[in-house]
Amino acid sequence: MSLLTHIKECSSTNELAMQLALEGAPHGHGVVADRQTRGRGRNKRPWYSDSDNGLWTSIILRPRFPISEFSRISLAAGVAVAEAIEQLIAQSVQLKWPNDIFLANKKCGGILAETSSLTDGSEPFVIVGIGINLCITSDQFPEEIRETATSLYAETSIEVDKLNLYGLIQANLLSLVDLMAHNGFGEILTRWRRRDLLLGKRMNWVTADRQRVKGRGLGVDDSGCYIVESATGEKHQVISGDLNLLI
Ligand code: BTN
């Protein structure tokens, strides 16, 4: 079976990949859509992807490690994407926890990893959805993200070919998932930490009991959670949510 489904348009490649995975598509099978009509971001936010100037893709993973470790896949995906982009442009890529892709201090991509929730005893799988702005100029972004979003072309003047980038990401991701299955999470964490945009920076975040707390980034711990130190020296382990940089 071909490992890539490339289509002109769909609502969301995550949804299409989920459907293909339920029909039995194998580990590594990817979907690339030139346009998405209902692209989804993290925390139920919309993802601007109704132009064909980006890479909108989802890759099906059937990992050979316990489901309790699946959350680590989104950090591995961040490393896979950052390293793939750097293979094509001569500029370093940063990662903002948990998995925003940053170039020159602006967001150029994001990752939405979703785990299957089957109760029929079949092997669980993960859909890793990846969106990367390739050739979008700032006036093409919706007003509300114009100041904070960027594209590879806007920062480098390089026109990256989407299928070329997809191929590199898919290969990197499969090799990192394989590495995790055989050698654990350590090597991936080391590679993630080299690109940590928040390290030492001031930020705020909203705690589980909805308090807004200010602090400084100390980096990811060995389980992949982010550690933030508040002004009083208290260390908080952030498991999920958004960390907002303060200027
Ligand atoms: C985020 O930063 O909020 C994550 C964005 C993830 C967007 C990608 S585009 C391909 C895939 N399909 C979707 O609907 N979402 C992901």
Side-chain angles (χ1 to χ4, degrees):
M1 198 192 293
S2 156
L3 277 189
L4 176 63
T5 301
H6 183 188
I7 54 164
K8 286 231 156 311
E9 185 177 291
C10 68
S11 57
S12 156
T13 55
N14 268 32
E15 281 167 25
L16 182 51
M18 186 65 79
Q19 194 185 317
L20 293 175
L22 291 171
E23 289 164 5
H27 178 68
H29 189 112
V31 174
V32 172
D34 292 335
R35 282 195 173 77
Q36 297 185 120
T37 52
R38 250 183 309 123
R40 297 188 274 124
R42 288 178 54 243
N43 300 327
K44 303 204 167 107
R45 286 187 285 252
W47 179 260
Y48 168 75
S49 46
D50 61 358
S51 95
D52 69 356
N53 297 333
L55 172 63
W56 324 126
T57 183
S58 300
I59 299 173
I60 298 164
L61 297 178
R62 299 184 183 277
R64 290 167 168 268
F65 46 79
I67 193 167
S68 57
E69 292 173 15
F70 278 16
S71 61
R72 299 173 171 190
I73 290 174
S74 61
L75 292 194
V79 173
V81 170
E83 293 182 354
I85 294 175
E86 286 179 357
Q87 285 169 266
L88 298 175
I89 63 165
Q91 223 164 297
S92 57
V93 172
Q94 269 78 50
L95 295 170
K96 176 174 174 285
W97 190 91
N99 44 26
D100 287 345
I101 316 295
F102 268 64
L103 199 53
N105 289 316
K106 287 185 170 186
K107 180 164 169 169
C108 67
I111 294 168
L112 177 67
E114 298 179 299
T115 300
S116 61
S117 48
L118 300 175
T119 49
D120 60 0
S122 55
E123 289 293 318
F125 58 83
V126 181
I127 305 297
V128 179
I130 299 163
I132 301 170
N133 305 324
L134 296 182
C135 220
I136 305 177
T137 52
S138 72
D139 54 303
Q140 290 173 313
F141 285 116
E143 180 93 48
E144 62 276 16
I145 59 168
R146 211 162 277 169
E147 293 296 307
T148 53
T150 193
S151 69
L152 302 196
Y153 184 77
E155 300 304 327
T156 65
S157 301
I158 296 172
E159 289 185 39
V160 166
D161 177 79
K162 73 175 80 168
L163 292 183
N164 194 8
L165 179 57
Y166 166 80
L168 294 172
I169 291 173
Q170 196 248 17
N172 287 353
L173 185 59
L174 293 191
S175 103
L176 290 177
V177 170
D178 200 45
L179 182 73
M180 262 198 283
H182 293 101
N183 297 358
F185 196 34
E187 160 84 19
I188 287 152
L189 277 176
T190 305
R191 282 153 75 175
W192 199 97
R193 285 176 176 135
R194 278 189 213 134
R195 304 167 185 286
D196 184 355
L197 179 89
L198 297 173
L199 185 64
K201 303 258 174 66
R202 291 178 61 242
M203 70 188 79
N204 71 26
W205 84 102
V206 179
T207 62
D209 54 354
R210 310 212 69 71
Q211 312 247 22
R212 190 168 287 276
V213 181
K214 281 188 186 164
R216 193 171 61 92
L218 295 187
V220 276
D221 66 14
D222 288 347
S223 66
C225 296
Y226 208 85
I227 306 298
V228 181
E229 184 178 40
S230 67
T232 57
E234 203 181 341
K235 291 189 178 63
H236 298 258
Q237 187 190 45
V238 184
I239 296 166
S240 64
D242 288 322
L243 298 172
N244 309 303
L245 263 176
L246 297 173
I247 315 287

